[in-house]
Amino acid sequence: MKKPVIALLILPFLFFVSSCNRGKAADSINGEEKKIEKQPDTLAKKEVLTIDTTDYNKRMLALSNNDTTGKWPVKTPYPLPGALLPYNRIIAYYGNLYSTRMGILGELPRNEMIKKLQGEIAKWQAADPSVKTIPALHYIAVTAQGAPGKDNKHRMRMPFKQIDTILSWAKPINALVFLDIQVGHSTVKAEVAELEQYLALPNVHLGIDPEFSMKNGERPGSKIGNFTAADINDAIDILANIVRKNKLTPKVLVVHRFTQGMVKNYKEIKKVPEVQIVMDMDGFGDKVLKKDSYMSYIYREPVQFTGFKLFYKNDIRKNWVMYTPAELIKFTPKPIYIQYQ
């Protein structure tokens, strides 16, 4: 669970990221030139694949909801072929299997949770038929801790058997898997590196949470942490290297955000063909306040793609009502990643 979208929101406490074309050549033998006939290539020429840039541009413009400020769509390198965005809208269930309080993923039994997720996917597909809607399980693989732990890092790495369980749940419904990290007193680079064997799988992507990045030794949860562009770039570098090394399609990187200070120097965040960045508006509260935060921190500081988080419980407190898909697709830009907690 998250802290306030802005100061007016309730802040709950949460613990728990060349071919050789020789042509004409000559050897000198006894002063005479000997012509060598061109030999056929023994290796097939590597095909260079590209995306349909016209279609990509059209889709990005549609996501921008015809924004007239010049902020959206963001000018970035074209992605590698096989990119998920903007061709799909990702609908993710978030949580941890050790806790029923950290999100819908972990709160409900597996079959009930998947059925509910599929119901949300159907609603989004109906609201915006122009974009294919696909499922994801967003699992908190590293949770921030109030206690320092054995290595004094204030974070707990979940056992790999839990990640294996999430992968097994995702397979029958062809869902993506996101591994989320709350670094505590550790670093993005250190924690993402521990998950490389999973991130090398084609359907596994990454989420990083600046809320629990405590750079000055504070206890996680005592204040809202932050990531600099350098922190986020560490994740991008690792993901890009994994994509190149394993010849994968681009990875999606979700960065949670609900305050101005959570992300520093956003203009310095790298944009590369191997990684697609989603800035996810991650606060709960009244609709008006959530939209204000989206406009203040996501719209006004454009990176690449946007996301929006919905809370089944904390968005309906008092007289609050949770946003519907039909309402959210009217936002500028339209969120392409939706997370339910």
Side-chain angles (χ1 to χ4, degrees):
M1 298 172 66
K2 295 287 178 186
K3 295 185 176 58
V5 175
I6 61 175
L8 297 179
L9 299 183
I10 297 177
L11 308 177
F13 200 80
L14 170 65
F15 291 120
F16 295 63
V17 214
S18 81
S19 64
C20 184
N21 185 351
R22 298 171 64 179
K24 293 182 179 180
D27 288 345
S28 178
I29 302 177
N30 296 325
E32 297 180 1
E33 288 189 343
K34 175 184 176 184
K35 290 185 178 180
I36 300 178
E37 295 181 359
K38 180 180 177 181
Q39 301 296 320
D41 291 334
T42 56
L43 298 176
K45 292 183 179 179
K46 185 178 180 181
E47 184 180 3
V48 179
L49 298 176
T50 60
I51 66 167
D52 182 338
T53 57
T54 300
D55 178 60
Y56 180 87
N57 292 339
K58 181 179 178 181
R59 290 174 181 272
M60 292 298 287
L61 186 62
L63 274 187
S64 76
N65 257 347
N66 297 309
D67 178 55
T68 59
T69 66
K71 292 179 179 293
W72 301 90
V74 182
K75 295 176 176 63
T76 66
Y78 288 114
L80 296 178
L84 288 166
L85 309 175
Y87 309 99
N88 303 276
R89 176 171 281 111
I90 301 168
I91 311 300
Y93 266 13
Y94 170 95
N96 179 280
L97 297 185
Y98 280 145
S99 173
T100 60
R101 298 175 59 243
M102 294 181 71
I104 194 73
L105 178 61
E107 179 180 350
L108 297 181
R110 170 190 176 182
N111 291 339
E112 184 179 350
M113 179 271 297
I114 289 177
K115 184 177 180 180
K116 189 175 181 68
L117 172 58
Q118 291 173 325
E120 299 293 1
I121 291 167
K123 293 176 186 176
W124 276 96
Q125 192 65 75
D128 187 3
S130 67
V131 180
K132 181 181 179 182
T133 304
I134 59 176
L137 303 180
H138 195 123
Y139 172 68
I140 313 168
V142 181
T143 65
Q145 300 290 308
K150 292 181 180 180
D151 57 3
N152 205 38
K153 295 295 184 182
H154 284 267
R155 60 93 178 92
M156 180 182 292
R157 295 169 176 164
M158 298 297 104
F160 282 175
K161 64 181 181 180
Q162 276 208 9
I163 299 177
D164 294 335
T165 296
I166 297 299
L167 288 168
S168 71
W169 289 8
K171 188 174 181 179
I173 60 171
N174 198 28
L176 306 175
V177 171
F178 284 81
L179 301 180
D180 205 90
I181 61 172
Q182 302 171 357
V183 300
H185 291 188
S186 185
T187 65
V188 170
K189 183 180 291 187
E191 297 309 318
V192 176
E194 289 294 317
L195 298 171
E196 282 199 39
Q197 69 183 81
Y198 288 104
L199 293 168
L201 299 175
N203 69 320
V204 178
H205 303 268
L206 181 65
I208 56 176
D209 194 343
E211 179 182 358
F212 301 103
S213 172
M214 316 313 294
K215 298 183 181 302
N216 298 312
E218 304 95 341
R219 179 174 56 83
S222 64
K223 62 178 292 186
I224 298 171
N226 72 82
F227 283 151
T228 64
D231 295 320
I232 297 170
N233 288 342
D234 281 340
I236 291 170
D237 287 342
I238 294 173
L239 290 176
N241 183 60
I242 289 172
V243 168
R244 289 190 292 263
K245 183 169 63 176
N246 297 281
K247 297 179 173 58
L248 300 173
T249 55
K251 293 293 181 180
V252 176
L253 172 63
V254 172
V255 182
H256 303 286
R257 187 178 192 183
F258 57 89
T259 71
Q260 184 83 40
M262 285 175 73
V263 175
K264 310 287 189 182
N265 314 115
Y266 79 96
K267 291 181 180 179
E268 297 175 17
I269 296 173
K270 293 181 179 180
K271 287 87 172 180
V272 298
E274 296 87 357
V275 182
Q276 301 192 287
I277 307 163
V278 174
M279 301 303 292
D280 180 37
M281 209 299 290
D282 192 12
F284 63 79
D286 178 73
K287 281 184 178 182
V288 173
L289 298 180
K290 293 190 71 160
K291 184 173 184 179
D292 180 74
S293 290
Y294 186 83
M295 296 302 295
S296 297
Y297 315 130
I298 306 299
Y299 169 79
R300 291 177 186 162
E301 297 192 356
V303 177
Q304 191 172 21
F305 296 94
T306 71
F308 203 94
K309 192 165 186 176
L310 297 166
F311 293 76
Y312 281 119
K313 295 178 180 178
N314 291 328
D315 277 351
I316 59 172
R317 291 181 179 182
K318 302 179 180 179
N319 60 341
W320 300 343
V321 180
M322 192 165 68
Y323 271 112
T324 66
E327 291 171 326
L328 286 175
I329 63 171
K330 294 178 182 177
F331 277 31
T332 299
K334 298 178 186 178
I336 198 70
Y337 170 89
I338 305 296
Q339 186 179 96
Y340 287 88
Q341 178 169 327

